[in-house]
Structure formats: C-alpha cells, structure tokens
Amino acid sequence: MVKVDGRGDESALIRARGLGKTYRRGGEEIHVLQGLNLDVDAGEFIAFMGPSGSGKTTLLNLLGGLDVPSAGSVTVAGDEITRMSARKLTSWRSRHVGFVFQMYNLIPVLTAFQNVELPLLLTSLSKAQRRQHVETALDVVGLSDRMHHYPRQLSGGQEQRVGIARAIVADPTFLLCDEPTGDLDRKSADEALDLIDRLVREFGKTALMVTHDPLAAERAHVVLHLQKGVLVDTVTMGRAR
Amino acid sequence: MKYVPLVLSNLFRKKTRTALTSGSFAVALFLFGILAVVDGAFQQGVDVAGVDRLVVLNRVSIIQPLPLAYRDRLLRIPGVTHVTFANWFGGVYQDERNFFPQFAVDRETYRQMFTEFIVPDDQWQGFQTDKEGAIVGEALAERFKWKIGDRIPIKGTIFAGTWEFNIRGIYRGRRVQDDTTQLWFRWDYLDERKAFGKGWVGWYTARIANPDDAVRLVKVIDEQFANSPAETKTDTEKAFAASFVKQMGNIQLLIMSVGSVVFFTLLLVTGNTMAIAVRERTRELAVLKAVGFSDRFVLMLVIAETMVVAVVGGGVGLGLAKLFTLRGDPTGGLLPFFYLASDDIALGLGLALAVGLAAGVLPALSASRLRVVDALRRV
C-alpha cells in the first residue's frame, strides 16, 4: 500500500512527513520539495515521474539518507533517519539501502565480482561468505559467467545488471533506482526492469524508482507524479499487488 | 587486508602516472641515500672518535711538528695513562689518484692506543721486527689486491725519495664504520731516513683515565707546554675530528639544504598528482560513500594509496643507493667510509612516508568531505 495523504499508520516501511528541501542560490530560495507525505509498505514497487527539476531525485536522496531535508522527517523500518548523525547515517545506508544508478557507477578498475563485493567489505563476513553472497547476487542477475570481467568488457545492460547485483548483495531493506534505464537501449532496459520486477515479486524487495520513461513506469505498482516539488497525481497500475 | 585490492587496483588505474610518481620518490630517496652516505663519510671520524682520547697538536698549525721529548712529559701528567704519536707521510702509490692515508706510527704504543683496529699478534710482531714493515687496512689491501709479504713502493711528497715497505699485517675494524683504508709504517724508519726534522713527531694522542676529566686535562696539557718553543693545542679526539670536517665547509648544512629542496619539490609534485587523481575519481568516491563507506574510510583510502607510492618508490631509491655504495668509495680514497647505514635507510623510509602523508592529506580531506549528492550531480 502506498499513501500520500499523511494518514498511513506506523506499519509502513517508509514514512515521510512534511518533507521539504530548500536550496539557496545567491539570495534566492529554491523550494525543491514542499511538505511531501508518503507511506510505502514493504514489497511495493513505486515509480516517481515528473519533469526535470520536479524534485524526483532529491526525494530519492532524502529517502535513501544521502541528503538531509530542510523540513520534515523520514522514518524507515522504525528508524527516523533524519535525526541520525552523518556517521550513523552512512552505516545505516550500508545495511538498509541498495542504490542503482543511471550511469551504473561501477568502479572501472575492479572486476564485476569486486564491484559487487564492495558493500560486503563493510560487514564482518568472511572471505568465503562474501564470495558466496557475491556469486548468488551475480547468479540472480544472470552474470555468473562474467564475474571476472571488468566493466569495460561488459555491455551497458550487463553493467547495469552488475550495478543491480551490487545493490542487492547485502540484502538491503529497499532499493533506490535513479533512472536505471536512462542510459540503456530498449532491450537492455526491459531486462533491467524485469530484474527489478523479479526482485520485488520473488524476493519481496521494496523498490523506489525515478524515471522519465513511461514504459519503465508501467512496470511499477504505483506511479507518483511530481511537479515543482509537490506530489500532484498517484496512479495505481494494473500490476499492483 | 580485504581493502588491499581496492588500494592496489586504484594505483594500477593509471600505470604511467603511478610509475612516474613512484619514480619521483625513487630519485629523491636515491639522492637522500647518497647524501647520507657522503655526510656519514665526513662525520665518520667524529662518530668513531674515542671518548677517552686527546689529540695534542702544535698550536701554530697541524703541519708543525712537536718534539719527541713531549711524550715523557705527557705521560707524567696525572690522569694521562697512555701516549702514542704519529706522523702524516703523504706519499703516492703508483699514481696520484691512488690516494690513501699513510702514517708513521710508534710501533711500541700505537696498537694499544687504537684498540678498535685489530691486528693479529704474529703480524704485529713481524711488523715490529722489520724496519721496513707496514700494516695495511683490509679495505686498502682489497683495493690494491695486496697480501702479506708484498713489497710496495711509495713515492714521498713531503719526505723525498721512494720508500719501500713490506706488508707485515692486515688490520680490520671492530665496527663497520672503522676506517680500514690506512697504511701504517714504523716512525723510527721515517725518523732515520728523513733529511730534516729528526726527533720531531706530527702529533700525540693521549689516553686519559676518566673521560669526564677531559676538559681539565686539555687545559693542564696546554699549560704544561705554554711559553715553550712548541706550544700545544689539545682537543678531545671528537672535537679534533669535527674541526677537521669543518675545514671542508658546512657539509651538513649543504646536505640539509639540497635534501629539503628535493623533498619540498617532491611534496608539491605528489600532492598535485594525488589531487588530480582524486578529482578524476569524484563519482567513484561518491558511490563508495553512497553504499556505506565512511568519510574516514575514504580519507584513509587516499592516504593509503599515497603511502604505497611513497614506500615503493622510496624503497627502490634507497635500494639503488645501497647497491651503489656496495661498489665502494667512488672517489678513489677521499671517502673511505662509503656506507649507507641502516639508520639512514630507516630515516629515508620515514621521510618518504612523511612526505607521502603530507602530500596525501589535502586530497584525502577533500575526498572525505565530498557530499554524495553534489558529487554524483557534478560529473
């Protein structure tokens, strides 16, 4: 269930209340997000759409603890992350959030295996356990046979699948996908979306995705439209649970 | 250990740049090694000087002699336990480039005075019984492939004529820094043959019972010979060696100046290189932070990369310097103690690490202060 009226109960996985973000440029204040409420239950797949500058990515950054709001609060699985120190927030991110970026953002000097392993270096897992987790994640995205390839040796679609494997390897609470298909051709984009869809349906993950692509948005359960920092429309898709 | 691949793979990202930066450290530390060797060569006499020995010279100058009769008067001074004397010879073996120090020494007392030089008893006895006998240091013997029994001619420059010596013994030093490039022959042979200055010696060396008494004894000795035709100037052996080095100029200041300029330049070059490297990786560092790596981790990662470059480059440079010194004194005898000590290697590595740290701190701080959202948006 996804609610935007601020009336969701405390069982929601993600709760945003009165969320606002204001930037100062010169003497001018720019309100990127204004008084946004959002309740997202576990297992949901949400797409945020809207024109450039509507606040989609800013919202995603706030929900993922990459940025701090100017107003309001974000609570994830009972933890109010907007009250956490920067240090605690960093640690929280490593346990709860899996990021998928538009440009994949793989580290070019590391192999697919090493890229996927990165989040696990922050855990107390042994080398053998890390290997097992990485192999599982790469198997889920169908790239077991490419684990020793460097990003430059992979196609864009494969790079994004490695990015998704990196996002899920530490078994995070939810996935934040910032235009995950923005740099892919249609076929690769569909493969990436299939994968996110599968992670939600088979593995019960919660996914929040920013996209400009209507075909990508169709794969979500709910599409939220933003304009000038305000949620203006909510569309529940036929594929919703 | 699990982060090692991350550090190394970043270093291999731009192999040429890493090699050149590391090469800068190698060149700087090679230079440091050689400067340390040269400094050590000049300071060696000061470092190994006996704390319980005084050197008694003619007050006018080091080249003015002293009467042999002073020996007994020195021995009568309370606190002086032992006295020996020697003369500088200054001869040439085959070619002027084959410089090495030659001393005419008192066969009765010289060995007991300089116990850091080890001469086997039978060889010393052979030396005492042969008026033309000579003892040579093992480095000198090695240099000219001399062995016991060889007869060597030396052309006198102060004392005219060709002087022939029979090598009766080879001495070695107790410590690695002891000078084994000298030749000693009998003072009585010199005194007998020389055409002038018979009964005069170059300088005296006196052993004292208590090193803490040195200052008083220096005064006592010089007062003893005050207002005589050959007044003395006495010093501790260490002060004498230090004043000898000073005559060459302030070697340490020169070395410090050159070294400081080199290391400061290295700091700027490495700092700039690391700043570029960090700037190129802004997005990657932001991603590391996004997935949960702390600011402190990113700081340490950048510093670790610089330190690896510094240690590898510095190690190579010091290793090459060490190899260079293994070939021995390249000056043909001016720097007999041409040796890179382990203390200097440790100091060099410490300096390399310090420069690496200093060069890496600013780029590392800027990396650690990156805001993820800004960095991801910027590139």
Side-chain angles (χ1 to χ4, degrees):
Chain A
M1 182 80 74
V2 177
K3 289 185 175 177
V4 295
D5 55 6
R7 293 182 186 171
D9 60 30
E10 291 191 355
S11 65
L13 177 70
I14 301 169
R15 297 177 73 208
R17 288 290 177 270
L19 205 56
K21 182 71 184 179
T22 303
Y23 292 108
R24 280 186 181 279
R25 191 171 294 158
E28 190 187 0
E29 284 194 341
I30 300 165
H31 301 287
V32 183
L33 280 180
Q34 300 178 67
L36 189 141
N37 295 312
L38 181 66
D39 291 84
V40 180
D41 284 345
E44 291 290 350
F45 182 7
I46 300 172
F48 295 102
M49 292 193 79
S52 293
S54 60
K56 305 181 298 294
T57 298
T58 301
L59 175 59
L60 216 60
N61 290 338
L62 293 176
L63 296 178
L66 289 180
D67 204 353
V68 287
S70 309
S73 65
V74 175
T75 305
V76 178
D79 295 326
E80 189 178 335
I81 64 169
T82 38
R83 285 191 169 193
M84 289 180 184
S85 65
R87 194 173 169 183
K88 206 168 172 191
L89 199 55
T90 303
S91 165
W92 175 85
R93 277 202 307 270
S94 71
R95 285 177 280 116
H96 292 284
V97 193
F99 289 97
V100 180
F101 303 96
Q102 177 183 353
M103 302 293 290
Y104 333 128
N105 286 341
L106 301 180
I107 295 183
V109 290
L110 299 180
T111 62
F113 182 97
Q114 289 170 322
N115 268 286
V116 176
E117 190 187 22
L118 276 177
L120 298 180
L121 296 178
L122 296 161
T123 67
S124 56
L125 294 177
S126 68
K127 192 175 179 182
Q129 288 170 319
R130 293 201 303 273
R131 168 168 283 278
Q132 196 183 351
H133 280 67
V134 173
E135 286 174 354
T136 303
L138 284 169
D139 187 45
V140 167
V141 301
L143 285 176
S144 297
D145 57 338
R146 295 281 193 275
M147 66 170 72
H148 299 302
H149 286 57
Y150 287 91
R152 65 177 181 277
Q153 298 167 318
L154 301 171
S155 68
Q158 288 171 330
E159 280 194 75
Q160 190 57 294
R161 278 149 66 192
V162 173
I164 293 171
R166 181 179 64 191
I168 62 171
V169 72
D171 194 22
T173 309
F174 64 109
L175 298 177
L176 292 181
C177 313
D178 191 1
E179 301 203 42
T181 60
D183 215 42
L184 299 176
D185 59 41
R186 188 72 260 158
K187 184 171 174 292
S188 299
D190 285 342
E191 285 173 359
L193 290 166
D194 286 345
L195 197 51
I196 296 170
D197 194 37
R198 190 176 154 221
L199 291 170
V200 173
R201 290 183 186 281
E202 283 185 30
F203 296 91
K205 293 289 166 201
T206 306
L208 284 75
M209 173 175 71
V210 163
T211 184
H212 280 110
D213 178 2
L215 291 175
E218 276 181 14
R219 308 292 283 267
H221 304 157
V222 178
V223 181
L224 301 176
H225 288 267
L226 280 99
Q227 205 155 20
K228 293 184 178 174
V230 178
L231 279 171
V232 293
D233 194 14
T234 306
V235 179
T236 303
M237 310 302 288
R239 296 162 68 106
R241 297 184 311 165
Chain B
M1 285 300 285
K2 60 186 175 183
Y3 301 120
V4 170
L6 193 57
V7 174
L8 294 183
S9 55
N10 280 326
L11 288 174
F12 284 106
R13 173 189 305 257
K14 303 246 173 169
K15 295 186 186 73
T16 308
R17 181 164 66 194
T18 302
L20 289 175
T21 313
S22 216
S24 310
F25 273 92
V27 171
L29 269 294
F30 175 77
L31 184 64
F32 167 84
I34 298 303
L35 290 176
V37 168
V38 172
D39 181 46
F42 280 102
Q43 292 298 322
Q44 171 256 358
V46 181
D47 293 341
V48 301
V51 292
D52 59 349
R53 291 195 293 246
L54 304 180
V55 178
V56 185
L57 303 168
N58 188 303
R59 177 167 289 279
V60 176
S61 104
I62 192 171
I63 59 169
Q64 295 297 317
L66 292 168
L68 180 59
Y70 280 14
R71 179 184 54 183
D72 294 339
R73 291 175 67 186
L74 283 168
L75 276 171
R76 283 200 293 273
I77 295 173
V80 173
T81 61
H82 197 80
V83 174
T84 191
F85 55 87
N87 254 88
W88 176 257
F89 184 67
V92 172
Y93 174 66
Q94 291 178 339
D95 190 299
E96 283 183 5
R97 285 172 297 183
N98 292 339
F99 171 83
F100 57 89
Q102 305 122 26
F103 299 109
V105 305
D106 178 27
R107 63 183 163 132
E108 304 293 340
T109 55
Y110 200 76
R111 187 183 180 212
Q112 292 98 308
M113 178 64 75
F114 297 98
T115 51
E116 63 267 40
F117 299 127
I118 301 166
V119 189
D121 289 342
D122 59 327
Q123 294 179 16
W124 189 258
Q125 270 164 8
F127 171 65
Q128 285 191 308
T129 54
D130 181 358
K131 190 168 269 187
E132 295 180 352
I135 301 282
V136 296
E138 61 180 359
L140 184 63
E142 170 66 26
R143 181 179 167 196
F144 293 113
K145 307 295 173 208
W146 289 339
K147 55 188 186 305
I148 292 172
D150 284 358
R151 188 165 173 81
I152 53 166
I154 292 186
K155 191 177 172 203
T157 55
I158 303 168
F159 306 101
T162 297
W163 300 63
E164 295 205 348
F165 301 105
N166 305 312
I167 295 179
R168 288 292 186 175
I170 294 175
Y171 76 84
R172 62 185 172 84
R174 280 188 199 281
R175 301 159 296 189
V176 68
Q177 61 267 48
D178 287 325
D179 180 7
T180 58
T181 66
Q182 305 173 10
L183 178 145
W184 311 329
F185 65 96
R186 284 172 46 170
W187 181 86
D188 55 341
Y189 178 43
L190 173 72
D191 198 55
E192 186 181 297
R193 266 194 65 178
K194 67 185 177 186
F196 60 93
K198 285 184 188 291
W200 290 71
V201 306
W203 64 89
Y204 289 95
T205 305
R207 173 171 293 135
I208 56 178
N210 180 6
D212 295 336
D213 207 18
V215 176
R216 185 187 67 82
L217 279 171
V218 161
K219 208 173 164 193
V220 168
I221 291 171
D222 288 344
E223 281 174 359
Q224 171 88 263
F225 301 106
N227 301 317
S228 70
E231 290 190 335
T232 59
K233 182 180 184 307
T234 307
D235 251 329
T236 60
E237 195 173 66
K238 200 175 263 299
F240 171 71
S243 69
F244 209 76
V245 172
K246 266 191 186 164
Q247 289 175 14
M248 308 269 189
N250 196 335
I251 303 291
Q252 271 190 319
L253 178 68
L254 181 71
I255 287 171
M256 281 285 286
S257 306
V258 174
S260 302
V261 169
V262 169
F263 277 99
F264 185 67
T265 309
L266 183 66
L267 180 71
L268 297 182
V269 169
T270 313
N272 185 46
T273 307
M274 289 313 292
I276 292 170
V278 164
R279 208 156 43 238
E280 285 173 354
R281 285 159 52 201
T282 300
R283 181 178 279 267
E284 289 172 31
L285 294 171
V287 170
L288 283 180
K289 288 184 169 192
V291 300
F293 287 91
S294 64
D295 293 349
R296 181 185 244 188
F297 176 89
V298 171
L299 178 96
M300 297 309 291
L301 177 69
V302 175
I303 287 180
E305 288 171 20
T306 324
M307 300 290 244
V308 170
V309 168
V311 168
V312 170
V316 168
L318 288 167
L320 289 173
K322 182 74 184 172
L323 279 177
F324 186 75
T325 60
L326 291 180
R327 295 166 50 212
D329 174 16
T331 64
L334 288 174
L335 303 171
F337 177 67
F338 202 75
Y339 173 79
L340 183 58
S342 51
D343 283 0
D344 289 326
I345 293 176
L347 177 65
L349 280 177
L351 275 173
L353 280 172
V355 171
L357 181 67
V361 157
L362 283 181
L365 276 175
S366 84
S368 75
R369 287 173 182 160
L370 272 179
R371 287 188 70 237
V372 180
V373 285
D374 294 340
L376 289 175
R377 198 184 298 139
R378 195 187 304 166
V379 187

